[in-house]
Amino acid sequence: MAIFSKKKLLILITSLIFINGFLSFAQAQMLSSKRECAICHIAWMDDFKMAGKKIFVDPIVRGEVIIAGRQGVVSSEKICYSCHDGGVLDSRDKTWMPGSHPVFVKPSKNVVIPKNFPLDKDGKIFCGTCHSAHGVDWGKKPDEQILGRTIFLRHDNPNSFICRQCHVNKIDGKAHNNHPINVTSIKIPKEIGKLGGKVGMIPDQVICESCHKVHGAKTAHKLLIKGIDNSELCGVCHKDKYVTSRDEAERKHTHPVNVPAKYGKIPESIIKKGGRRGAQGKIICNSCHKLHNAPKGTKILVKKNEASSLCIECHQDKYNQIAQTKHDLRLSRPNDKNIKGQSPKKAGVCMVCHLPHGGKGAKMWARKPAKDKDTIASLCISCHQKGGIAGEKLIGPHDRTHPYNIVMGESNIGDGQTSLPLYSSRGVRINDGKSGMVTCSSCHDVHRWDPEALDKKDLVKKEGDSANSFLRIKNDVGSPLCYDCHIDKSFVEQSDHDMSMMAYKHPRSHCIQILGEGKEEMLKLPKEVVHKLMGKQEGATGICGTCHTPHNATVFRLWSRPVSEGKDNGEKLCFSCHSQGNIAEVKQVGQYTHPVGVPITNLGDNIDTQLPTYTDDLRPTKNGKVMCFSCHDLHQWDPNKKRKGPGKKVEGDSSNSFLRIAATDSKFALCDSCHVDKKFIKGTDHDLTITAPNAKNINGETTTQSGVCGACHTVHNAMYQNRLWYRELGPGNDGMSELCTACHSEGIAGEKKLVGKHSHPVGKNIIGATKDLPVPFPTYDKDLHKVTQGRVLCGSCHNPHVWDPRKNEVGPGKNTEGTRMNSFLRASNDKGYAFCVQCHKGKELVLGTKHDMSVIAPDEKNYFGQTVSQSGVCGACHQVHQTLNDARLWVRPLGPGEDVISKLCNSCHAKDRVGKKKVISAGKNSHPVNANILAADGTTSFPLFTFDGHRNNESGRVFCASCHDPHV
């Protein structure tokens, strides 16, 4: 140690610090206070002395060493770095990284440098301008001065005092309009402290250093603690206004920020006034707000927003379009006020309806939104409601106005696509044409009166029509606005439902509102006969507008025509044209027509039809009611051709006529959609394409023309109510017999299959049938409706649409001779008696007795030459149709006798017949027949009969069957 002098030792230690930089702060503390000073001062003094420099101490700067004519040595960046590089304290991230207060630059004209904050000899700011190791006691007690606010500063720094000494134009005051400081209006988030920001001497006090950090700022721009390219710093405190998407902006009812400008870009006029564009040209808070030196009288805006003038800077197109229209409230409602109490004149054309912050609904709404499930509709209805400023222009009840709040892509509208704008649940515009919801603004552009012109002359007084009315697309000729979504409805053009075409063909043209280009002869109709649609003025309405209106419809389906009488709301719409005295009076459904307004479940519980069914208010629903439009698509003439109509009057048939399903080659596909159990008629003997291809219905159509169903039935204008019958009725005493004999009569298609003179009785009630003990087959009332205790008719035993009851399938496709197992029976007659005994209870007891031909005479044949194995046990004696006698439907050759019952018994019990061993002797050797019971006491529990074999216990006589039951 003797080798080195004290002075040289200090120089050596200092050099080691400069070279290696790893002496800790604790090691430095071991030096005496004089040595601490010497580390910086003496070493550099020796260096400069050796260089022959002159030094002096300037007392004005409190003892700092200044080189004459040069920057201060101690305050140079190099000498500061000698300790702040980590040798004593590593603060390189705060001082020498980007984001620190600029040094070695001349002060701008916007700042004022006080005398006690020196500049260097070139008049530039340097470290020593703000910092000094002397002169300020930064170690006072915490209650006197917060530790750390004045570390090595030339002055203590409460509430950013030093910042305000130079940046006098950045402080809030009368001379300048800046972001407020020294205020406590909001709760300062903890995140500010984590980012390095500070608050003032009292809680939540905003100061310069709340946003700015002199050393180590996160962003080099303006020494901010957080970036502003996406309004990040603003959003730390102003969370109610900070958003990152348009959807979030709608939720917070504030102007969108941090999103790309939707229409073009932020104009240069805003940039010149101090506004900024964010990353990728986004709108940010600083696009409208200027935090320092903003124009006076503004909320630190880049310009004063008098009468919405700032809004118009960006939204000039909206202003140009809305000005002078009915939505310019300065003209239409000058005395109205927004939620801030501002009149249209004061607020301007924009802010009378929108507020950039603090709105009451989507679109920054400056009014109280109406109660509605749809966000956009709630804004529109806030004016267009009773008592609202547009109370004279109402949209009507929900069921009388165009549906909204429905997702386009999830609906059954057209092809699920549109070029019109759709909206999210919060009201954000979606332009993909399918994922958003249809709402008011889908059809209406509230800022533009005429979609094609900007003629501003007298617009406030002009009554709207389908060509303007703030519509996005002119909707007069051809209804292009409607077609944009309902493209499938455009097929109505040039069909019989195109009123512009039909007006030529019917004398009642005055029942429609005339439209169309090139229809001059129609337009010449006198004004007084032109039918005005509801809520419309005279003028073109478009093809759709002749029947529909989007608002204030007369009834469901947006109907714009006077409705007529009908069984249900569907008929009321259709009959507004298809009734006497209206434009389509030549096409009426007639007195007897397909039932409507009835539940599809009437046909059964499991009817899975592909045709639509409806509620009473005409909304599609599963298992709803059958309406006119269940079968008819009113907008498409031919269901197999998705195109416009033929352009001329065409008489329809079962393959077109606005049907939803075209007739196939069998021409019953439409009927089959609901009447699924009837489709098995195809290929059977009741399919007239097989058995009588030349037979015609009452309209003169063969089955090839009418279809299988149309050979017997028609949907409209039937000649008979029951079963919508469309053939000439045949003979009969009940409605159903008349239907059956329409074919099964002499000279008609079914003449080979007649019931004969003697046949099973019809039109009679089942004896003994009760509600609790019904028969297993249908019985009917006088109108042929199925009832529990009704009459036996042909349809009780026969199902005319199913050939074989054991097989639910179509027929063989050829004329087939039936057996007791098929022949359109409702159940197969197994063993020749199973079907019969369903009604004729107890008669099955004949089985196995001597009256069972299968036991005593299996080879015996009935009148038709059938053995018992062919006819069945019952069929050996009885037959349903073409029998020999009404009594007992007998089907064996009658035997001798004077009365019918004796003849039936003697058909077997006679000489040379199957019952010859049991022949009744005539005369005194046998009980008398035709005996009058009155000869006895006049009463009996046994049955009595008439001479012709009918049972009559009041005036009948005693015959064989009075004592004998042939089945037991």
Side-chain angles (χ1 to χ4, degrees):
M1 295 298 295
I3 299 174
F4 298 97
S5 66
K6 183 178 181 180
K7 180 178 179 181
K8 289 183 179 180
L9 179 60
L10 291 173
I11 293 173
L12 178 59
I13 294 172
T14 304
S15 300
L16 290 173
I17 293 172
F18 289 159
I19 296 170
N20 299 306
F22 53 75
L23 272 182
S24 67
F25 182 78
Q27 290 172 322
Q29 292 294 323
M30 295 175 64
L31 299 173
S32 66
S33 59
K34 291 182 179 179
R35 289 177 180 175
E36 289 173 354
C37 300
I39 289 174
C40 295
H41 288 275
I42 298 175
W44 283 101
M45 288 169 64
D46 283 352
D47 284 348
F48 280 104
K49 279 182 180 179
M50 288 185 289
K53 302 295 183 182
K54 181 181 179 181
I55 64 172
F56 68 93
V57 176
D58 186 348
I60 297 178
V61 293
R62 301 178 183 177
E64 284 200 26
V65 179
I66 303 295
I67 306 301
R70 298 181 62 83
Q71 178 189 327
V73 175
V74 176
S75 296
S76 69
E77 185 175 18
K78 187 174 182 181
I79 195 66
C80 297
Y81 187 74
S82 65
C83 287
H84 289 279
D85 67 345
V88 176
L89 182 67
D90 191 354
S91 53
R92 289 171 294 177
D93 62 326
K94 296 181 177 62
T95 308
W96 283 277
M97 297 299 285
S100 291
H101 193 289
V103 291
F104 311 122
V105 295
K106 289 186 177 182
S108 74
K109 61 181 180 180
N110 296 322
V111 299
V112 176
I113 307 296
K115 289 183 179 181
N116 60 334
F117 290 89
L119 303 174
D120 73 359
K121 66 101 178 177
D122 295 323
K124 295 180 178 179
I125 299 169
F126 68 112
C127 301
T129 301
C130 297
H131 293 284
S132 172
H134 312 285
V136 177
D137 184 358
W138 53 274
K140 292 184 178 180
K141 295 179 180 179
D143 58 345
E144 296 176 326
Q145 184 170 301
I146 298 175
L147 183 65
R149 289 187 182 275
T150 57
I151 297 178
F152 292 118
L153 292 173
R154 291 194 175 277
H155 196 284
D156 55 352
N157 193 33
N159 300 334
S160 302
F161 173 82
I162 293 179
C163 305
R164 292 184 281 122
Q165 298 307 299
C166 296
H167 299 282
V168 293
N169 64 338
K170 297 294 193 295
I171 62 175
D172 196 24
K174 295 181 180 180
H176 305 281
N177 185 17
N178 299 292
H179 188 290
I181 59 172
N182 297 325
V183 295
T184 58
S185 57
I186 64 172
K187 180 75 175 177
I188 302 297
K190 291 182 180 179
E191 187 181 350
I192 289 291
K194 292 178 180 179
L195 293 169
K198 299 177 181 179
V199 297
M201 302 298 287
I202 59 177
D204 299 318
Q205 183 181 10
V206 180
I207 61 175
C208 302
E209 291 164 283
S210 297
C211 295
H212 299 283
K213 191 176 182 183
V214 180
H215 296 297
K218 295 298 183 183
T219 170
H221 179 73
K222 303 299 183 182
L223 305 181
L224 294 170
I225 62 174
K226 197 169 187 178
I228 58 171
D229 278 351
N230 286 301
S231 310
E232 302 96 329
L233 180 55
C234 305
V236 174
C237 292
H238 301 284
K239 295 186 183 298
D240 58 325
K241 300 175 180 63
Y242 180 73
V243 298
T244 57
S245 68
R246 294 184 184 278
D247 190 71
E248 189 180 5
E250 298 294 7
R251 179 170 57 84
K252 292 185 177 181
H253 307 159
T254 191
H255 193 291
V257 289
N258 310 314
V259 296
K262 201 164 189 178
Y263 307 103
K265 65 178 183 178
I266 300 168
E268 289 298 324
S269 61
I270 290 289
I271 305 303
K272 289 178 181 179
K273 292 178 176 66
R276 288 171 52 84
R277 299 186 185 105
Q280 294 86 46
K282 292 179 180 178
I283 303 167
I284 58 174
C285 299
N286 292 83
S287 298
C288 295
H289 292 285
K290 189 177 181 183
L291 274 63
H292 297 295
N293 295 309
K296 292 182 182 179
T298 69
K299 299 269 186 170
I300 55 173
L301 295 170
V302 297
K303 69 170 289 185
K304 202 167 185 179
N305 198 22
E306 290 180 322
S308 305
S309 58
L310 178 58
C311 306
I312 295 169
E313 289 278 348
C314 289
H315 302 285
Q316 183 69 50
D317 57 331
K318 295 287 189 291
Y319 174 77
N320 292 341
Q321 293 167 6
I322 198 173
Q324 307 299 314
T325 71
K326 292 183 177 184
H327 282 174
D328 184 350
L329 301 189
R330 300 172 304 176
L331 302 176
S332 60
R333 296 292 186 274
N335 297 321
D336 183 59
K337 292 183 180 180
N338 63 13
I339 56 174
K340 287 194 170 185
Q342 299 169 324
S343 68
K345 182 178 180 180
K346 182 177 180 180
V349 70
C350 303
M351 292 185 64
V352 73
C353 292
H354 307 282
L355 294 175
H357 303 298
K360 292 298 181 182
K363 307 303 177 189
M364 309 168 287
W365 204 239
R367 302 175 172 279
K368 184 180 179 181
K371 292 182 179 180
D372 196 280
K373 60 184 178 181
D374 183 272
T375 299
I376 299 295
S378 69
L379 309 185
C380 300
I381 298 173
S382 66
C383 291
H384 294 279
Q385 63 180 334
K386 288 183 179 179
I389 62 172
E392 78 283 3
K393 292 292 182 182
L394 306 179
I395 64 173
H398 278 291
D399 57 358
R400 309 294 170 86
T401 196
H402 191 288
Y404 56 88
N405 200 46
I406 53 176
V407 178
M408 184 70 184
E410 296 176 3
S411 70
N412 58 355
I413 303 171
D415 56 3
Q417 289 273 359
T418 180
S419 68
L420 297 172
L422 304 171
Y423 293 82
S424 73
S425 60
R426 299 195 189 279
V428 176
R429 180 166 173 167
I430 298 173
N431 290 321
D432 66 2
K434 58 182 180 180
S435 65
M437 290 187 291
V438 177
T439 186
C440 306
S441 294
S442 297
C443 296
H444 291 285
D445 183 344
V446 295
H447 298 97
R448 184 167 184 171
W449 170 253
D450 190 321
E452 295 184 359
L454 286 174
D455 181 12
K456 297 301 183 81
K457 186 177 180 181
D458 296 327
L459 286 186
V460 176
K461 299 178 182 179
K462 184 177 180 180
E463 185 62 31
D465 57 34
S466 58
N468 41 58
S469 303
F470 297 103
L471 293 175
R472 292 192 180 275
I473 300 174
K474 188 177 181 180
N475 200 41
D476 50 1
V477 179
S479 301
L481 177 64
C482 303
Y483 291 167
D484 202 283
C485 293
H486 304 279
I487 187 61
D488 54 323
K489 302 299 187 287
S490 66
F491 305 140
V492 74
E493 290 187 24
Q494 300 181 33
S495 76
D496 286 3
H497 282 173
D498 179 349
M499 297 300 164
S500 65
M501 186 181 87
M502 295 309 294
Y504 293 110
K505 308 182 185 321
H506 297 286
R508 301 186 183 276
S509 302
H510 62 277
C511 289
I512 64 170
Q513 183 163 358
I514 304 307
L515 64 101
E517 297 169 334
K519 309 288 192 297
E520 294 180 1
E521 64 274 29
M522 293 161 55
L523 296 174
K524 290 177 182 177
L525 287 172
K527 268 188 184 179
E528 58 271 18
V529 300
V530 176
H531 175 68
K532 293 181 181 179
L533 297 177
M534 294 296 293
K536 293 286 185 179
Q537 298 295 313
E538 294 172 11
T541 63
I543 291 174
C544 299
T546 56
C547 294
H548 306 284
T549 183
H551 304 301
N552 294 293
T554 58
V555 72
F556 313 112
R557 294 284 171 164
L558 304 180
W559 204 247
S560 62
R561 307 182 65 77
V563 297
S564 298
E565 293 296 323
K567 300 182 187 70
D568 58 76
N569 288 316
E571 269 196 347
K572 290 177 181 179
L573 303 191
C574 297
F575 287 178
S576 63
C577 289
H578 294 280
S579 58
Q580 191 65 35
N582 286 316
I583 189 171
E585 63 181 350
V586 296
K587 290 293 180 182
Q588 298 185 49
V589 298
Q591 181 181 2
Y592 304 128
T593 189
H594 191 288
V596 291
V598 294
I600 189 68
T601 51
N602 285 359
L603 295 176
D605 295 331
N606 299 313
I607 301 299
D608 187 18
T609 178
Q610 58 183 304
L611 297 175
T613 56
Y614 299 86
T615 61
D616 287 331
D617 57 356
L618 308 187
R619 298 180 184 277
T621 183
K622 186 174 178 60
N623 293 328
K625 292 184 177 181
V626 177
M627 303 283 186
C628 300
F629 0 93
S630 295
C631 297
H632 291 287
D633 181 344
L634 280 60
H635 299 91
Q636 185 172 333
W637 171 251
D638 189 329
N640 282 338
K641 297 175 182 177
K642 292 187 176 296
R643 64 187 185 193
K644 297 177 182 179
K648 58 183 179 179
K649 176 63 179 173
V650 176
E651 189 59 35
D653 56 34
S654 57
S655 66
N656 42 53
S657 303
F658 299 105
L659 294 176
R660 288 194 179 275
I661 301 175
T664 60
D665 56 347
S666 61
K667 296 187 179 176
F668 65 91
L670 181 66
C671 307
D672 175 27
S673 294
C674 294
H675 302 282
V676 292
D677 57 326
K678 306 297 188 290
K679 67 183 179 182
F680 304 121
I681 193 175
K682 184 180 179 182
T684 71
D685 288 3
H686 280 175
D687 179 350
L688 297 192
T689 58
I690 294 173
T691 54
N694 297 321
K696 296 180 179 180
N697 61 21
I698 201 170
N699 200 38
E701 299 169 321
T702 65
T703 309
T704 303
Q705 297 168 316
S706 67
V708 176
C709 300
C712 297
H713 311 282
T714 185
V715 180
H716 304 304
N717 291 292
M719 66 168 296
Y720 192 59
Q721 179 180 9
N722 294 326
R723 307 300 187 268
L724 299 179
W725 202 248
Y726 209 46
R727 304 187 70 82
E728 291 288 351
L729 295 177
N733 296 322
D734 62 86
M736 190 169 289
S737 294
E738 294 175 312
L739 306 186
C740 297
T741 56
C743 285
H744 294 284
S745 298
E746 293 289 341
I748 313 297
E751 62 180 347
K752 293 182 179 180
K753 293 294 179 182
L754 306 181
V755 297
K757 182 178 179 181
H758 307 299
S759 185
H760 190 290
V762 291
K764 295 183 178 181
N765 291 80
I766 293 287
I767 299 174
T770 65
K771 189 174 183 179
D772 297 326
L773 189 64
V775 296
F777 302 118
T779 57
Y780 301 85
D781 63 14
K782 62 183 181 61
D783 296 320
L784 305 191
H785 297 134
K786 293 179 181 179
V787 293
T788 302
Q789 295 171 290
R791 300 177 301 161
V792 175
L793 301 180
C794 302
S796 298
C797 297
H798 290 288
N799 181 350
H801 299 93
V802 180
W803 170 250
D804 191 332
R806 300 166 299 173
K807 304 173 184 178
N808 279 334
E809 59 186 31
V810 297
K814 59 182 180 179
N815 194 348
T816 305
E817 187 60 35
T819 68
R820 68 172 187 266
M821 308 301 290
N822 43 49
S823 304
F824 299 106
L825 292 175
R826 290 202 177 270
S828 61
N829 197 21
D830 295 333
K831 299 179 181 178
Y833 65 87
F835 186 82
C836 304
V837 299
Q838 295 298 317
C839 292
H840 300 281
K841 300 293 184 181
K843 300 297 188 287
E844 71 275 13
L845 298 177
V846 74
L847 297 175
T849 70
K850 292 184 178 181
H851 278 179
D852 180 350
M853 293 292 180
S854 64
V855 174
I856 64 168
D859 296 327
E860 182 71 11
K861 295 180 180 180
N862 63 18
Y863 178 78
F864 295 104
Q866 299 171 320
T867 63
V868 67
S869 62
Q870 296 171 316
S871 66
V873 175
C874 298
C877 296
H878 310 283
Q879 187 79 6
V880 180
H881 303 304
Q882 296 186 346
T883 62
L884 299 178
N885 194 285
D886 276 344
R888 307 304 184 271
L889 302 178
W890 206 250
V891 75
R892 302 191 66 77
L894 296 178
E898 296 181 356
D899 62 274
V900 168
I901 291 182
S902 295
K903 292 179 180 180
L904 302 184
C905 296
N906 292 336
S907 64
C908 288
H909 296 285
K911 187 179 179 180
D912 300 328
R913 300 204 177 180
V914 68
K916 60 185 177 181
K917 294 182 180 180
K918 294 292 182 179
V919 178
I920 301 171
S921 300
K924 297 180 181 181
N925 296 327
S926 183
H927 190 287
V929 294
N930 196 20
N932 190 347
I933 193 64
L934 295 177
D937 61 3
T939 61
T940 181
S941 61
F942 295 120
L944 304 177
F945 299 89
T946 63
F947 191 80
D948 55 4
H950 294 115
R951 187 166 178 167
N952 189 330
N953 268 43
E954 292 184 1
S955 59
R957 297 297 185 98
V958 175
F959 290 105
C960 303
S962 296
C963 296
H964 292 283
D965 183 344
H967 298 91
V968 180

